[in-house]
């Protein structure tokens, strides 16, 4: 018999279970309760036979985490989070609540493949090393702070992965971000991936000026990669050299 209570915070990766870690699959199998947003629950459907599934919606994250912690005092519980739970996922909230209230439960977080990893490999290798990841969602963080971070990332010549690029209520944020990118980086390469590792996947590469004509097509299932001054696009591959060419004859 398993010890009674445990909370798993699980990164479900970008798509179906083939992109989840074995540990994540094991943890779901070990759980009696599965909590998560409907989208993530659907993606692991084949693992859920006989489990008690608690769906919850966006904006209900605090309630979801509290419920998961309460259940995990006596049961084995998986809290699902898309991609990696640590990037704009459930892990920061779980960590903050458990730490702030000195909650003593057995818990384990399991990393997942984040959108930046999935999208980078589909495009070629535009990230390549040091990079910045910035979400355009101003739900929890004011726009001024987001823009400031974007400006520093551009000044630092980091390739940038943009999460949460747009939504029905937040279209202007993407337009504002593109203006800042044009101001500081000029007509750079832009990689756009929608539904990475999921049905309906699309992978596109533009110059920034051309991309400006497609902003209306960008939605919340999309991640945008902003290339840096060394990013190149050849033979269908978007890549940022790591520097091997400086040291070796490649
Ligand atoms: N924790 C998640 C990110 C959650 S924020 C992770 O680590 O990937 C949600 C944003 O992630 C989306 O708006 C989108 O920008 C990005 N995203 C998540 N999955 C994606 C996918 N399969 N394809 C493209 N972008 C994705």
């Amino acid at each position: 018999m398993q010890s009674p209570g445990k909370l798993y915070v699980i990164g479900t990766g970008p798509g179906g279970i083939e992109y989840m870690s074995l540990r994540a699959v094991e943890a779901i199998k070990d759980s009696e309760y599965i909590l998560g947003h409907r989208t993530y629950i659907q993606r692991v459907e084949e693992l859920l036979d006989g489990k008690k599934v608690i769906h919850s919606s966006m904006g209900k994250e605090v309630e979801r985490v509290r419920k998961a912690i309460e259940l995990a005092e006596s049961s084995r519980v998986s809290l699902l989070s898309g991609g990696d739970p640590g990037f704009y996922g459930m892990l920061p909230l779980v960590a903050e609540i458990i730490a702030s209230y000195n909650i003593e439960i057995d818990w384990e977080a399991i990393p997942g493949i984040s959108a930046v990893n999935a999208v980078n490999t589909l495009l070629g290798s535009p990230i390549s090393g040091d990079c910045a990841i910035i979400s355009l969602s101003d739900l929890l963080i004011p726009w001024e702070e987001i823009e400031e971070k974007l400006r520093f990332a551009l000044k630092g010549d980091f390739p940038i992965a943009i999460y949460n690029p747009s939504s029905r209520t937040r279209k202007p944020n993407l337009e504002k971000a593109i203006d800042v990118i044009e101001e500081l980086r000029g007509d750079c390469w832009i990689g756009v991936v929608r539904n990475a590792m999921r049905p309906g996947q699309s992978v596109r590469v533009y110059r920034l000026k051309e991309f400006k004509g497609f902003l209306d097509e960008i939605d919340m299932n999309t991640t945008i990669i902003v290339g840096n001054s060394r990013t190149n696009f050849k033979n269908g591959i978007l890549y940022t050299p790591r520097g091997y060419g400086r040291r070796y004859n490649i």
Side-chain angles (χ1 to χ4, degrees), residues 14 82-84 87-89 114-115 119 162-165 193-196 198 220-223:
D84 181 85
F87 285 121
Y88 319 109
S114 190
V119 163
I162 295 185
Y163 283 46
N164 296 308
V193 180
R194 182 162 190 270
N195 285 323
R198 290 180 203 155
M220 288 303 270
N221 296 312
T222 307
T223 297

Side-chain angles (χ1 to χ4, degrees), residues 19 25 44 154 195:
Y19 287 104
V25 173
V44 299
L154 289 160
N195 285 323

Side-chain angles (χ1 to χ4, degrees), residues 131-146:
C131 68
I133 297 176
I134 296 180
S135 163
L136 297 191
S137 170
D138 56 6
L139 216 62
L140 305 175
I141 294 176
W143 172 256
E144 294 67 34
E145 203 177 300
I146 297 169

Side-chain angles (χ1 to χ4, degrees), residues 21-108:
S21 69
L22 289 175
R23 182 70 189 146
V25 173
E26 254 173 40
I28 292 177
K29 286 186 178 160
D30 180 50
S31 296
E32 188 182 352
Y33 286 93
I34 311 290
L35 285 87
H37 187 267
R38 198 172 307 108
T39 339
Y40 307 125
I41 287 180
Q42 274 165 5
R43 292 201 198 116
V44 299
E45 203 78 70
E46 61 211 271
L47 301 173
L48 301 185
D49 250 9
K51 315 254 174 227
K52 295 174 189 136
V53 177
I54 304 179
H55 298 253
S56 101
S57 55
M58 206 104 122
K60 300 274 181 219
E61 291 84 5
V62 176
E63 287 92 323
R64 198 184 308 156
V65 169
R66 290 217 178 106
K67 180 81 189 165
I69 290 173
E70 187 191 308
L71 287 169
E73 281 165 19
S74 54
S75 309
R76 305 185 81 78
V77 179
S78 278
L79 178 62
L80 306 185
S81 191
D84 181 85
F87 285 121
Y88 319 109
M90 302 305 291
L91 183 57
L93 186 57
V94 172
E96 188 177 348
I97 292 179
I98 291 182
S100 319
Y101 296 100
N102 293 315
I103 294 170
E104 287 184 12
I105 53 162
D106 184 11
W107 71 292
E108 174 184 340

